[in-house]
Amino acid sequence: MTATILVTGGAGYIGSHACLALLQAGYAVVAIDNLCNSHARALERVRQLAGRDLHFVQGDIRDAAALGRLFADHPIAAVMHFAGLKAVGESCKKPLLYYDNNVLGTISLLQAMERAAVKRLIFSSSATVYGFPERMPIDEEAPLAAYNPYGRTKQMIEQMLGDLCLPTAQDGWQVALLRYFNPVGAHESGMIGEDPGGIPNNLLPYVTQVAAGRREWLPVFGNDYPTADGTGVRDYIHVLDLVDGHLKALQKLETLPEGEGFCRAWNLGTGQGYSVLEMVRTFEQVNGVAVPYRIMPRRDGDVASCWADASRAKTELGWVAKRDLATMLADSWRWQHNNPDGYR
Ligand code: NAD
Ligand code: WQD
């Protein structure tokens, strides 16, 4: 029988790619999204690409009644939980919004799962839980030290999920905590991708909007970091590799005996860091477009370097990121070029 997976935040950047990968792998998909940072058109394109339907519920994960109906109507086997707010700067201005949406939203989801006796969850965590790490690369045993409200919501949710899986807890939850590094890229069709509203917070959407002429130049936040060229270094990972990691984590949870408590964190990164200027130059070379930039002061809260030790996911999930930087940057550009105004 085909297993049905609930994807929260399914219309979002990573969630839409996950819906597509699940459909292509033969799962049935139910997606819930309140569309606060996305567009239902993303899911129309997912249906088109997959040649299969999925069920979409426009709703909020904090709405217990809506979740109750959803679990009553569909035989959910496991949940991929992407729904959440993710802008670090906004979380510093409106911390309560983030605790309400991310933490209370997750509690509401877990309560609905408990009522429906669904115990398998894959959670979108973030390398941001490591804070300012002491060593590179970062492995999963590094201490958790999130330093902004957004990061703290992820850390709190991780801790809450860990508690659900303690041997003393009675319910036998089975949880994968996937700590993403820097997701970029888009499906190779150029039909689905990242569609940030307003001024992009993240590097790649900013770069593609400059390349498209929507913005004049890229601010490069600091060139005096202790890195090879002075600009910040990150571990960029193709969104398709990232969602492949989710499928591998799902398969891992599916092998566990029901009722056996399990909670494990896995880094999803490539293990390779690139600087901001390397990203800009490679983007220009691969896509044949110019990306003017200006060196600006450092951005508050940025670490100099951050890249993953992804060996645990390789050993335990049989997962490695396969797509190289050129592919990430070509796919990001194809999406932006084909959809200058995103889904609007
Ligand atoms: P996104 O904003 O594109 O997707 C999140 C989706 O959740 C959006 O479609 C939004 O409308 C929906 N949503 C938010 N709150 C909701 C609620 N209360 N009820 C229902 N739907 C709700 O972001 P993304 O980049 O796809 O990120 C997905 C997840 O991965 C998030 O939890 C994010 O924190 C996490 N993450 C993202 C990154 C990144 O750089 N993109 C890195 C690490 C972790
Ligand atoms: C990457 C590099 C910037 C924009 C953030 C969140 C993190 C996670 C991923 C969710 C840095 C530089 C950026 C620009 C620039 N999200 N930059 N000009 O900061 O590693 O991580 O997104 O969990 O929590 O903090 O990613 O893409 O913002 O920045 O120079 O306009 O690009 O300084 O060195 P970051 P990013």
Side-chain angles (χ1 to χ4, degrees):
M1 204 186 74
T2 315
T4 303
I5 308 301
L6 172 62
V7 182
T8 76
Y13 170 42
I14 306 169
S16 55
H17 288 84
C19 288
L20 177 59
L22 284 164
L23 290 171
Q24 287 173 333
Y27 290 94
V29 173
V30 176
I32 182 168
D33 201 301
N34 65 5
L35 305 181
C36 71
N37 195 38
S38 52
H39 204 288
R41 205 159 287 144
L43 292 174
E44 287 165 26
R45 298 207 181 160
V46 167
R47 290 184 180 100
Q48 239 178 298
L49 285 167
R52 287 185 57 202
D53 202 6
L54 58 75
H55 186 82
F56 175 53
V57 176
Q58 184 175 342
D60 196 297
I61 55 167
R62 290 164 296 180
D63 181 345
L67 280 184
R69 282 192 299 276
L70 188 159
F71 279 99
D73 291 347
H74 302 275
I76 305 294
V79 178
M80 287 191 186
H81 178 29
F82 297 97
L85 300 176
K86 61 167 184 177
V88 173
E90 184 187 48
S91 81
C92 298
K93 290 193 190 111
K94 300 177 183 172
L96 203 51
L97 175 69
Y98 274 65
Y99 288 109
D100 180 37
N101 196 80
N102 293 4
V103 180
L104 292 186
T106 300
I107 292 175
S108 163
L109 173 69
L110 294 170
Q111 286 170 333
M113 289 174 68
E114 185 163 58
R115 280 192 292 272
V118 177
K119 296 292 168 55
R120 287 184 175 150
L121 178 78
I122 295 170
F123 175 59
S124 298
S125 190
S126 167
T128 199
V129 297
Y130 297 119
F132 292 95
E134 281 169 16
R135 288 191 312 273
M136 281 307 142
I138 311 171
D139 67 43
E140 292 84 349
E141 297 306 318
L144 301 192
Y147 56 86
N148 57 56
Y150 164 71
R152 277 194 282 269
T153 67
K154 292 292 178 191
Q155 186 170 331
M156 281 178 193
I157 295 166
E158 281 206 10
Q159 285 166 331
M160 192 165 69
L161 292 171
D163 286 344
L164 293 184
C165 304
L166 286 174
T168 48
Q170 53 195 359
D171 284 325
W173 287 83
Q174 299 176 335
V175 175
L177 308 172
L178 301 184
R179 295 180 183 152
Y180 314 161
F181 280 67
N182 290 61
V184 297
H187 188 261
E188 62 268 8
S189 62
M191 284 175 62
I192 56 173
E194 186 170 11
D195 181 19
I199 301 172
N201 297 305
N202 295 115
L203 178 65
L204 241 289
Y206 211 114
V207 167
T208 58
Q209 291 191 11
V210 171
R214 266 173 74 175
R215 298 181 192 279
E216 241 178 289
W217 45 272
L218 170 77
V220 172
F221 297 137
N223 66 349
D224 56 353
Y225 285 105
T227 61
D229 64 19
T231 63
V233 169
R234 296 291 184 276
D235 184 339
Y236 298 92
I237 173 167
H238 198 296
V239 65
L240 294 180
D241 282 327
L242 191 77
V243 300
D244 183 42
H246 288 65
L247 290 190
K248 290 285 197 313
L250 176 61
Q251 286 158 12
K252 171 78 182 176
L253 298 188
E254 287 170 344
T255 64
L256 300 172
E258 254 180 63
E260 187 180 292
F262 179 90
C263 183
R264 188 86 167 141
W266 287 286
N267 284 341
L268 296 183
T270 63
Q272 166 84 50
Y274 292 100
S275 76
V276 176
L277 291 184
E278 281 177 300
M279 295 294 284
V280 170
R281 285 196 200 101
T282 313
F283 187 93
E284 291 181 324
Q285 278 161 15
V286 167
N287 297 312
V289 282
V291 180
Y293 66 85
R294 289 185 199 169
I295 304 296
M296 301 300 282
R298 290 182 180 194
R299 184 174 67 177
D300 271 355
D302 270 355
V303 296
S305 301
C306 174
W307 69 91
D309 176 341
S311 56
R312 183 189 279 184
K314 183 176 182 186
T315 313
E316 297 181 0
L317 302 178
W319 173 86
V320 284
K322 295 187 188 121
R323 293 164 179 85
D324 63 9
L325 186 63
T327 308
M328 298 182 212
L329 298 178
D331 289 346
S332 289
W333 177 235
R334 187 178 306 108
W335 153 252
Q336 171 72 55
H337 188 64
N338 292 357
N339 306 270
D341 296 314
Y343 291 110
R344 279 161 290 270

